[in-house]
Amino acid sequence: MNLPISVTQNDLSEFLLNIAPVRPVFIWGAPGIGKSALVQKFADEVGLPCVSLLGSQLAPEDIIGIPQIKGETSEFLPPKMIARKEPYVLFLDELNACSQEVQKAFYSLIHEKRIGEYHLPAGSIVVGAGNRAQDGAIVKTMSSALINRMFHVQLKADAKQWLLWAYEEGLHPWVTDYIEKRPDHLFSEPPKTEEPYSTPRSWHMLSDALKEFGAGSRELGEETLRMVVYGCISPSHAGMFLAYTKQLGNTYLLHSIIKGEARWPARPEERDVLYFLAQSFRASLIHDLPADKKMLNKHTQYFAHRAKAMLKELAAISNEIAQMVVSSEDGVVLPEWFMMEIVRDLPRLAIYDAK
């Protein structure tokens, strides 16, 4: 399922608080985007314990229990994990990864909060979650009857909201500072090939690894750092993150280049740092330059003037990297008025969309 509307972490928290107590909710989203953590946070907010079941590892008897003979009749004894006396949040993770037989076992549990003769305690809440078919995860078709028993919502990653959480949790400063500079690298769609890719979860993993190796507090070998970074996030993001760590000795290098106090790194061994700085320069252009030239103030007028000089200097080192700064390949374009000036003053850098 791919819903036409997606919600952020904060939106989902509000949605769960209002909907989940009265109707079961199913959360769709890519692996590692934070579904499980948000359900746990919701359970904490409503003051209920959270019991998680992993759909991909369940058999029908794990839900409906096993039969026991009592006199001349039999009854099913539900599992101890589910059969509780106090209300709780039942989180059915990877619900759409379980078999059709297990899905059938969930029908009455989701719709009536009942397993055989056992009813969940009054006030209990049922929340499901699963990955989408395009995510390359284990996914089975959900029956229409099961889909129709729940509200559906699709989660998307939001860098600003994730950073607030990351600062509260004390993630490694390299990770938070990098995502501040490149919020578009927080999440990437799962690749078709078997390789790590960037998600909120994988950045959290990288933070944990950097802390364990003591990155920033003592010298961390370059090869070890490469191994750790490439083992967690998308290869393209890993290369950029390593370039970022190389220029940590001069955190304000880009700012100095903008002010004219420093120059672009031009040595061949500094090419990855140059690429990272150029990407950060492009992000600054997108963020700081107004869409309407009439909205320029004294600061942005100076920045626009310096930007053209910086692009000329960058092109002298690498015309390809300079073209990347003004390109529209990622779907985000620089202000039209600025691009017209680039075409006029630096025609070699003008990139036209041939589509």
Side-chain angles (χ1 to χ4, degrees):
M1 182 180 291
N2 193 17
L3 300 177
I5 298 175
S6 298
V7 300
T8 65
Q9 297 96 309
N10 289 352
D11 294 332
L12 179 59
S13 295
E14 188 71 17
F15 187 88
L16 289 173
L17 286 170
N18 286 278
I19 301 297
V22 293
R23 290 290 182 180
V25 173
F26 190 94
I27 306 167
W28 296 87
I33 204 168
K35 300 184 294 294
S36 302
L38 284 169
V39 174
Q40 180 62 62
K41 178 185 175 184
F42 162 71
D44 294 340
E45 289 177 347
V46 297
L48 295 176
C50 184
V51 176
S52 297
L53 298 180
L54 202 58
S56 57
Q57 298 179 4
L58 293 176
E61 56 269 22
D62 295 324
I63 306 301
I64 62 176
I66 58 175
Q68 182 182 58
I69 298 175
K70 278 195 174 184
E72 297 181 353
T73 61
S74 65
E75 65 178 359
F76 277 86
L77 296 180
K80 182 178 179 180
M81 182 178 290
I82 295 177
R84 297 181 170 225
K85 295 181 179 180
E86 300 297 328
Y88 64 98
V89 174
L90 178 59
F91 179 41
L92 308 176
D93 199 6
E94 296 185 8
L95 176 55
N96 59 336
C98 61
S99 65
Q100 293 291 328
E101 289 73 21
V102 175
Q103 288 187 28
K104 291 177 183 177
F106 278 127
Y107 282 11
S108 61
L109 179 58
I110 291 173
H111 186 55
E112 301 174 329
K113 297 182 182 178
R114 175 182 61 83
I115 303 174
E117 297 179 1
Y118 170 78
H119 290 261
L120 269 61
S124 294
I125 297 171
V126 179
V127 179
N131 303 314
R132 305 162 301 174
Q134 65 264 38
D135 294 325
I138 299 174
V139 173
K140 293 182 172 63
T141 302
M142 288 179 66
S143 70
S144 57
L146 190 55
I147 289 176
N148 197 238
R149 281 170 161 79
M150 294 175 286
F151 273 91
H152 296 268
V153 63
Q154 183 167 274
L155 180 64
K156 65 179 179 181
D158 183 275
K160 289 183 178 179
Q161 293 179 16
W162 184 83
L163 280 168
L164 290 175
W165 170 86
Y167 284 122
E168 290 178 0
E169 294 294 317
L171 265 64
H172 196 282
W174 287 4
V175 169
T176 51
D177 188 52
Y178 181 81
I179 297 299
E180 282 274 12
K181 292 178 171 60
R182 295 308 308 264
D184 54 316
H185 285 189
L186 176 62
F187 175 78
S188 60
E189 292 292 339
K192 302 298 183 184
T193 55
E194 296 176 336
E195 62 185 32
Y197 62 101
S198 301
T199 66
R201 177 166 60 199
S202 62
W203 283 107
H204 194 179
M205 289 165 51
L206 177 57
S207 169
D208 289 344
L210 292 173
K211 285 185 175 182
E212 288 299 316
F213 278 101
S217 60
R218 66 174 185 268
E219 191 67 26
L220 177 64
E222 183 176 343
E223 286 305 310
T224 301
L225 180 59
R226 287 176 59 85
M227 175 191 69
V228 168
V229 174
Y230 275 100
C232 293
I233 57 178
S234 300
S236 60
H237 296 173
M240 292 288 287
F241 183 83
L242 289 170
Y244 156 79
T245 63
K246 283 186 178 180
Q247 57 89 44
L248 281 174
N250 191 347
T251 305
Y252 303 103
L253 181 55
L254 180 59
H255 182 65
S256 297
I257 296 173
I258 293 173
K259 292 176 66 176
E261 298 172 351
R263 302 182 68 84
W264 294 108
R267 291 180 296 181
E269 62 269 25
E270 298 176 315
R271 187 52 56 95
D272 53 352
V273 178
L274 176 67
Y275 188 78
F276 172 77
L277 289 171
Q279 286 274 22
S280 299
F281 176 43
R282 171 175 166 77
S284 296
L285 290 171
I286 293 169
H287 182 269
D288 295 338
L289 293 183
D292 188 343
K293 188 176 182 180
K294 295 179 181 178
M295 299 300 293
L296 285 170
N297 55 33
K298 184 177 180 180
H299 170 73
T300 49
Q301 279 182 340
Y302 172 78
F303 182 45
H305 172 73
R306 276 293 300 150
K308 287 182 285 185
M310 290 171 64
L311 282 167
K312 185 176 181 180
E313 295 165 4
L314 181 60
I317 301 171
S318 171
N319 194 65
E320 180 183 1
I321 294 179
Q323 287 181 328
M324 177 272 297
V325 172
V326 298
S327 72
S328 60
E329 290 182 0
D330 56 3
V332 181
V333 296
L334 299 178
E336 185 177 356
W337 63 267
F338 182 74
M339 287 302 301
M340 291 179 64
E341 294 186 8
I342 294 298
V343 171
R344 182 193 66 203
D345 300 338
L346 302 167
R348 279 201 313 149
L349 297 185
I351 298 179
Y352 295 96
D353 195 342
K355 294 181 181 179

